[in-house]
Amino acid sequence: SMWDSLESIWKAADEDPDCDAYVIPIPYYDKKPDGRFGEMHYEGDQYPDYVPITDYKTYDFADRRPDLIFIHNPYDNNNFVTSVMPCFYSNNLKQFTDKLVYVVYFIFGDIDPENEEAVNGISHFCTIPGVINADKVIVQSENMKKAYVKALTKAAGEASRKYWEEKILGLGSPKTDKVMNTRKEDVAVPEEWKRIIEKPDGSWRKVVFYNTSVSALLQNDEKMLAKIRDVLRVFHENRDEVTLLWRPHPLMEATIKAMRPGLWEEYEGIVDRYRSDRWGIYDDTADLDRSIALSDGYYGDWSSVLELCKDKWIPVIIQ
């Protein structure tokens, strides 16, 4: 479901006659409130038809020893909500390749590296295991590179600056590549979605992408659920003119169960009613880019999705 974080890199490698590129989806686990592993997920069957998949159980990393391994999950055991299979933690993968490359999977609004408050605001993303263990780290821009270098130098000491400057690369984001290359006229729209979007005369209603984030829920608890209910009410009242496309963060369910279990029953009820009433679209697929391509506006929380919509010149409003 986060393949857009790597796809354009894979395409370039796949098209290079001197390169053998393998796409190896790896399992991940939900985490229980006490930190133990819960349900395992494997999404190898959710990739686009044009992407050949290699089974993680059949690829011998020690024997093959790839020149480069690209990863987008940097947390190892430091995530409270999910964990990839431990043998794929960055500190272990590092043993089986000449170069481990972490590609940042999220997008921030580009920040001024001279703004101390802004740099401090992202510093916890700069010191996670994937950044520390990787040989190279790819971030979205040169400004973001400067911010990472500043945060890491502050954490590790001024003598480390040159090391971080060589390690962090401001080459852009595959997520932006994917969004910019996905056109509305090229996406396959499910019939159920068309039924909701189309007016009786065959024209389309405006589509608003409603994005609810994990961080907003963790910060606001019950108030967030009240806000969601109110937003759904307003869009329901205006459903003849505007179609709501609600796409919660893919880890919303796992996050609530792990970190706010007392909210789960109420949240599940909100989602179940919205889905059963069928006046709006609920998108829990892996295809974020389809939803962005179909949307005329964005409403919701600060997130990478907002930044991608801005790149696409889609108007955004923060809830």
Side-chain angles (χ1 to χ4, degrees):
S1 58
M2 299 168 81
W3 172 235
D4 59 349
S5 304
L6 294 171
E7 183 175 87
S8 60
I9 297 174
W10 166 75
K11 281 185 173 179
D14 189 54
E15 291 166 4
D16 185 340
D18 295 326
C19 184
D20 293 323
Y22 297 85
V23 178
I24 307 176
I26 60 176
Y28 68 94
Y29 299 88
D30 295 331
K31 277 192 171 181
K32 298 180 178 181
D34 62 4
R36 290 181 299 128
F37 285 180
E39 183 181 357
M40 187 183 90
H41 303 274
Y42 176 74
E43 299 175 349
D45 59 344
Q46 297 181 26
Y47 284 68
D49 294 339
Y50 54 81
V51 181
I53 297 303
T54 298
D55 191 321
Y56 71 96
K57 295 189 293 289
T58 64
Y59 189 93
D60 188 332
F61 282 82
D63 181 56
R64 299 298 299 270
R65 192 172 176 82
D67 298 305
L68 294 95
I69 295 176
F70 290 87
I71 61 170
H72 73 271
N73 189 308
Y75 297 111
D76 291 359
N77 195 39
N78 290 15
N79 191 324
F80 296 116
V81 177
T82 60
S83 171
V84 299
M85 188 174 277
C87 61
F88 295 108
Y89 286 171
S90 60
N91 60 353
N92 191 52
L93 284 179
K94 193 174 174 67
Q95 305 174 51
F96 300 106
T97 182
D98 297 334
K99 190 165 289 186
L100 181 66
V101 184
Y102 163 49
V103 183
V104 176
Y105 71 91
F106 49 81
I107 294 180
F108 291 116
D110 222 17
I111 67 174
D112 177 3
E114 299 305 315
N115 183 328
E116 293 290 340
E117 185 177 350
V119 172
N120 290 338
I122 67 158
S123 60
H124 60 291
F125 290 109
C126 304
T127 54
I128 47 185
V131 173
I132 304 304
N133 293 325
D135 297 290
K136 297 291 181 184
V137 176
I138 298 176
V139 299
Q140 68 195 55
S141 66
E142 279 298 313
N143 268 354
M144 193 58 68
K145 168 182 175 167
K146 291 175 183 176
Y148 264 67
V149 169
K150 194 167 190 175
L152 286 159
T153 301
K154 184 177 180 181
E158 187 60 38
S160 67
R161 180 178 297 276
K162 187 172 187 299
Y163 171 78
W164 302 119
E165 286 177 343
E166 293 176 354
K167 179 171 180 167
I168 313 294
L169 307 174
L171 299 178
S173 171
K175 291 179 78 73
T176 303
D177 297 338
K178 179 70 171 177
V179 163
M180 299 307 288
N181 291 326
T182 302
R183 302 186 307 163
K184 185 174 186 176
E185 52 268 32
D186 295 335
V187 300
V189 184
E191 287 302 317
E192 174 69 10
W193 292 20
K194 283 183 183 176
R195 182 190 65 75
I196 297 170
I197 297 171
E198 282 187 353
K199 294 182 179 181
D201 63 4
S203 64
W204 277 30
R205 298 175 176 85
K206 295 292 186 183
V207 177
V208 174
F209 189 128
Y210 180 43
N211 177 49
T212 47
S213 73
V214 164
S215 58
L217 183 129
L218 294 177
Q219 290 167 21
N220 296 286
D221 297 329
E222 291 87 353
K223 291 181 180 179
M224 178 69 170
L225 301 186
K227 177 64 178 177
I228 292 173
R229 280 196 299 268
D230 190 56
V231 169
L232 297 183
R233 177 188 62 79
V234 171
F235 277 94
H236 179 261
E237 291 172 357
N238 293 277
R239 64 191 181 282
D240 290 340
E241 295 301 319
V242 180
T243 293
L244 185 69
L245 192 162
W246 183 18
R247 185 184 170 95
H249 189 285
L251 293 177
M252 185 69 85
E253 177 180 336
T255 300
I256 295 174
K257 288 180 175 178
M259 302 185 72
R260 297 291 188 275
L263 299 180
W264 171 244
E265 186 175 343
E266 185 178 354
Y267 178 79
E268 184 183 33
I270 294 171
V271 172
D272 286 349
R273 180 173 180 183
Y274 175 73
R275 299 186 74 166
S276 63
D277 287 351
R278 297 188 174 184
W279 57 265
I281 296 167
Y282 185 82
D283 184 13
D284 58 356
T285 71
D287 199 348
L288 165 67
D289 309 285
R290 173 179 61 184
S291 291
I292 293 177
L294 292 175
S295 295
D296 300 289
Y298 172 98
Y299 179 68
D301 301 319
W302 286 101
S303 79
S304 292
V305 181
L306 178 147
E307 299 302 329
L308 293 170
C309 286
K310 284 164 63 177
D311 287 340
K312 198 89 168 177
W313 291 98
I314 295 172
V316 302
I317 301 176
I318 311 302
Q319 75 171 352

